[in-house]
Amino acid sequence: MRKAFFGLLLLLPVLNFGQSNYPKDAFRPPLDIPIILAGTFGELRSNHFHSGIDIKTEQREGLPIHAIGEGTVTRIKISHWGYGKVIYIAHPNGYTSVYGHLQKFAPEIEDYIKKVQYRKKSYQVEVFPEYGEIKVEKGQVIAYGGNTGGSSGPHLHFEIRSSISEKPTNPLLYGLEVRDATNPTLSKVYGYPLSENAIINQSQEKIEVDFKRQEDGTFLAEKVHAIGSIGFGFIGYDRQDLAANRNGIYSVQTLVNGKVYSDYDFETFSFGETRYINTLIDYDHYGRYRQRIQKLYKDPSNYLSIYNTLYNDGKLEVREGLSYTVEIFIKDLMGNVTKLVIPIEGKKEEVKINKNDDKTENYIIAKKPNNFDLGGAKVYFPSNTFYKNFYIDLKKDDDTVTIHNNRVAAHRNFTITFDVSNFSEAERRQMFIARLNSSLRPSYTSTYKRGSTFTTRTRNLGTYTLASDTVPPKIKPKNFKDRQWLNNYRYLSIRISDDLSGIDTYSATLNGKWILMEYEPKTNTLTYNFDDVILDEKECDLVVKVTDNVGNSSTFTSTFFRK
């Protein structure tokens, strides 16, 4: 009995989830199928935390999406990327629910938004209906699940936000049932020497810490020898019972000799702070290996509000001759816990791995603006573009400039300006600034042209060059032929593509009247739905015009027949 009671006391610090402030019975699920998650709230994504949950829709589109409670539609947005087709519903209890990546809206809402699209002659629209203009009841079908926007497969992106602050909160705190009796997975652990003379296992650089599973299911690391200020980080993920997806961790708590040094969770966060994810992870490691190490200590430039407790910013000051026990508790929202124990001995050892000093000619002071003239190109970093000071590597070669590498994160946009005075006006019209990927393939970046200079604003370090696009976009029909009878067709489908600068605008008319064509960039497809009846003529003349980002245009014409 005494042993069992001691085990309970050991877990007491990690079971305080703070979940009692949310209504558990006010909302129903947005789908009528079991809730299985492809993504969790707060999950680590590129430059942001995931602001909702991704609910699987059985790998198909068209499943009915229900309003989780009575309310009024306050926002509808349709875009090529992001949430694609998304609807926002404000509820009387102060919350707003968000439903993204939709295939289409319910008939009343679909009719409302199509009138807006035809009035504005644009597929991409954003509207804010008057409060009470479009009311919905709890359980009412408001849309159908899809794969629009920046989705990589059919699913529902679902959020619950505060209607006042617009801060998203974890939807699982509102009583949604998800089967989960599976502990989070711990993959790797790293130790970080943080002070000038700190050493971990004879290394002044980050070093991996080995650990093994014990008979009781916990993990025990090999003894660490260290001196100075140190911190830890880990790679891990969470899984629910019915899915193989590697989802995000809900909360992490670190104790040193029984004292809480750091404790953070993903109950809520604000959109204004989400880019500070780049201070929570080891961004250098992510740039090298595309793996996200979550740091259990807080950098000076980290302004995240996710921390419940911080002692010495989560950093451990190791003194020679003293011993320490670090306990790391990795938890999901259902109370499943993975525990790692790291024994530490304060011991100064010979350094075998020295600190890596990548010094260059140029040094960035993060809190000040930094301007560099590379000869033929200039780079300007506003103050606080970066999270910390560092030596930056800048190179200029002909019409190409290399700005450091992808192992440093930029928090704000900086500008790159090229001198194009050596090119004629005719040449400049088809030129743009491109970013080169690892395979040296160029991709268009928004280019502002002013006289003899081209400028782009970006937050991505890397290699940029001047490129020229002289080839207009291609337009090909996918499901019909010229002068074909299309009586039984539900839609027209056209493939559009551009080999370099990318699609900028597109438009289509039937017998001279503008028609709505839905653009899906992931498949390079334009689609016209014949339900949008705008003419009664049997003979239909279709004209589609597509323009790329430097102004090259193509026009496709075809005639078809319908009764």
Side-chain angles (χ1 to χ4, degrees):
M1 178 66 72
R2 181 178 297 175
K3 183 177 180 181
F5 181 67
F6 177 76
L8 179 60
L9 285 177
L10 192 66
L11 288 177
L12 280 177
V14 304
L15 296 181
N16 181 20
F17 291 110
Q19 304 172 20
S20 60
N21 298 326
Y22 302 94
K24 298 294 192 296
D25 55 2
F27 298 128
R28 57 149 287 162
L31 289 154
D32 284 335
I33 59 174
I35 303 297
I36 302 175
L37 301 184
T40 50
F41 182 85
E43 199 165 83
L44 310 181
R45 302 285 177 89
S46 293
N47 299 307
H48 71 284
F49 298 109
H50 191 221
S51 57
I53 56 175
D54 288 340
I55 303 175
K56 290 175 176 283
T57 55
E58 300 177 339
Q59 299 182 332
R60 59 193 177 107
E61 299 184 39
L63 288 181
I65 307 298
H66 302 267
I68 63 170
E70 68 169 310
T72 180
V73 176
T74 55
R75 183 183 180 191
I76 306 170
K77 185 176 182 180
I78 298 177
S79 56
H80 296 147
W81 298 106
Y83 293 167
K85 295 184 179 182
V86 59
I87 188 169
Y88 299 71
I89 298 174
H91 305 281
N93 59 0
Y95 296 101
T96 292
S97 53
V98 183
Y99 314 77
H101 303 310
L102 305 171
Q103 179 193 58
K104 61 181 179 179
F105 303 103
E108 178 188 357
I109 302 172
E110 185 79 6
D111 181 62
Y112 175 92
I113 198 65
K114 278 198 173 181
K115 287 178 180 177
V116 174
Q117 290 173 308
Y118 270 93
R119 185 173 70 249
K120 295 187 174 183
K121 293 185 178 181
S122 175
Y123 170 66
Q124 295 192 106
V125 293
E126 182 175 18
V127 293
F128 300 86
E130 293 291 330
Y131 195 89
E133 185 178 358
I134 306 177
K135 294 182 178 179
V136 297
E137 299 296 326
K138 185 176 184 177
Q140 179 180 330
V141 175
I142 56 169
Y144 299 88
N147 186 35
T148 56
S151 170
S152 58
H155 72 277
L156 173 66
H157 173 86
F158 175 68
E159 298 179 19
I160 297 181
R161 303 180 181 181
S162 163
S163 296
I164 298 174
S165 69
E166 294 192 357
K167 287 182 65 174
T169 49
N170 196 320
L172 298 186
L173 295 170
Y174 296 83
L176 291 179
E177 294 185 4
V178 176
R179 285 183 54 181
D180 186 1
T182 305
N183 290 341
T185 297
L186 177 63
S187 300
K188 293 184 178 181
V189 176
Y190 295 87
Y192 289 81
L194 300 176
S195 57
E196 183 66 27
N197 298 314
I199 305 169
I200 299 180
N201 289 349
Q202 299 183 298
S203 174
Q204 292 180 325
E205 287 287 319
K206 171 192 71 186
I207 192 165
E208 187 172 351
V209 177
D210 293 329
F211 58 90
K212 292 182 179 179
R213 181 186 292 273
Q214 305 300 294
E215 291 185 2
D216 62 357
T218 63
F219 293 93
L220 177 64
E222 294 184 359
K223 179 178 282 190
V224 170
H225 294 147
I227 203 77
S229 180
I230 68 171
F232 291 94
F234 77 98
I235 297 176
Y237 58 88
D238 189 35
R239 274 185 174 152
Q240 282 75 47
D241 293 353
L242 301 177
N245 300 74
R246 297 186 174 191
N247 295 330
I249 303 293
Y250 175 69
S251 67
V252 188
Q253 190 177 60
T254 306
L255 282 70
V256 179
N257 293 346
K259 181 181 179 67
V260 178
Y261 267 51
S262 72
D263 179 7
Y264 66 85
D265 64 46
F266 289 102
E267 176 184 332
T268 184
F269 62 87
S270 70
F271 288 107
E273 67 180 309
T274 189
R275 198 171 179 88
Y276 284 106
I277 184 177
N278 294 328
T279 64
L280 177 69
I281 67 171
D282 180 340
Y283 200 89
D284 179 84
H285 187 92
Y286 175 69
R288 293 174 187 268
Y289 308 110
R290 314 311 289 177
Q291 298 173 334
R292 293 184 177 94
I293 301 174
Q294 296 188 50
K295 292 186 279 191
L296 302 177
Y297 59 93
K298 187 172 179 286
D299 284 339
S301 55
N302 178 342
Y303 294 101
L304 292 170
S305 63
I306 61 175
Y307 297 93
N308 301 309
T309 304
L310 269 175
Y311 176 77
N312 196 34
D313 285 335
K315 302 170 185 176
L316 170 59
E317 307 294 336
V318 179
R319 296 181 180 180
E320 193 166 10
L322 298 182
S323 296
Y324 307 83
T325 299
V326 173
E327 298 171 289
I328 300 172
F329 298 91
I330 304 170
K331 300 163 276 188
D332 64 25
L333 194 55
M334 301 304 162
N336 303 303
V337 181
T338 295
K339 178 183 175 183
L340 168 70
V341 176
I342 307 174
I344 299 174
E345 181 181 343
K347 185 177 181 181
K348 191 169 185 178
E349 297 180 314
E350 177 188 358
V351 176
K352 291 187 176 180
I353 303 175
N354 292 303
K355 189 178 297 183
N356 186 16
D357 284 330
D358 292 327
K359 290 187 177 181
T360 66
E361 294 180 358
N362 300 304
Y363 189 69
I364 290 286
I365 300 176
K367 293 187 179 299
K368 293 184 178 181
N370 296 265
N371 198 13
F372 300 95
D373 189 340
L374 306 180
K378 295 180 180 179
V379 185
Y380 173 68
F381 301 106
S383 59
N384 298 311
T385 297
F386 300 104
Y387 300 107
K388 60 183 179 180
N389 303 341
F390 69 102
Y391 285 96
I392 189 168
D393 189 16
L394 299 170
K395 297 176 183 176
K396 175 71 170 64
D397 182 20
D398 294 330
D399 298 323
T400 300
V401 59
T402 298
I403 305 170
H404 207 68
N405 54 54
N406 66 345
R407 303 196 300 274
V408 173
H411 191 75
R412 300 178 60 187
N413 281 313
F414 60 92
T415 59
I416 309 168
T417 301
F418 282 91
D419 181 355
V420 294
S421 57
N422 291 333
F423 298 92
S424 68
E425 289 190 16
E427 290 173 316
R428 294 176 200 172
R429 279 196 289 271
Q430 294 178 312
M431 290 172 58
F432 62 96
I433 299 176
R435 184 168 185 252
L436 301 181
N437 64 15
S438 58
S439 302
L440 301 182
R441 175 163 177 79
S443 60
Y444 176 83
T445 63
S446 295
T447 304
Y448 305 91
K449 302 180 179 182
R450 293 180 181 177
S452 61
T453 62
F454 285 5
T455 299
T456 189
R457 299 177 73 244
T458 181
R459 285 189 284 204
N460 296 311
L461 278 68
T463 301
Y464 292 81
T465 190
L466 292 172
S468 181
D469 184 358
T470 61
V471 180
K474 295 180 180 178
I475 309 173
K476 293 182 179 180
K478 287 184 67 174
N479 69 337
F480 68 98
K481 297 178 181 179
D482 191 41
R483 307 197 66 79
Q484 183 178 351
W485 283 89
L486 305 180
N487 292 340
N488 298 321
Y489 278 55
R490 292 184 297 108
Y491 62 90
L492 284 178
S493 184
I494 295 174
R495 177 179 174 81
I496 64 174
S497 61
D498 188 76
D499 69 332
L500 191 53
S501 65
I503 304 297
D504 181 29
T505 63
Y506 55 90
S507 63
T509 61
L510 273 181
N511 291 354
K513 295 182 180 180
W514 186 89
I515 58 172
L516 173 65
M517 299 211 82
E518 301 198 4
Y519 179 40
E520 177 49 80
K522 296 192 293 289
T523 59
N524 298 316
T525 302
L526 288 175
T527 303
Y528 168 68
N529 192 324
F530 280 121
D531 289 343
D532 300 348
V533 179
I534 65 166
L535 48 82
D536 298 323
E537 292 93 335
K538 179 175 70 175
E539 183 174 332
C540 301
D541 294 322
L542 174 67
V543 179
V544 179
K545 183 177 180 181
V546 180
T547 304
D548 65 20
N549 278 297
V550 296
N552 299 310
S553 293
S554 294
T555 300
F556 167 83
T557 61
S558 180
T559 299
F560 62 87
F561 304 93
R562 279 178 64 87
K563 286 185 180 179

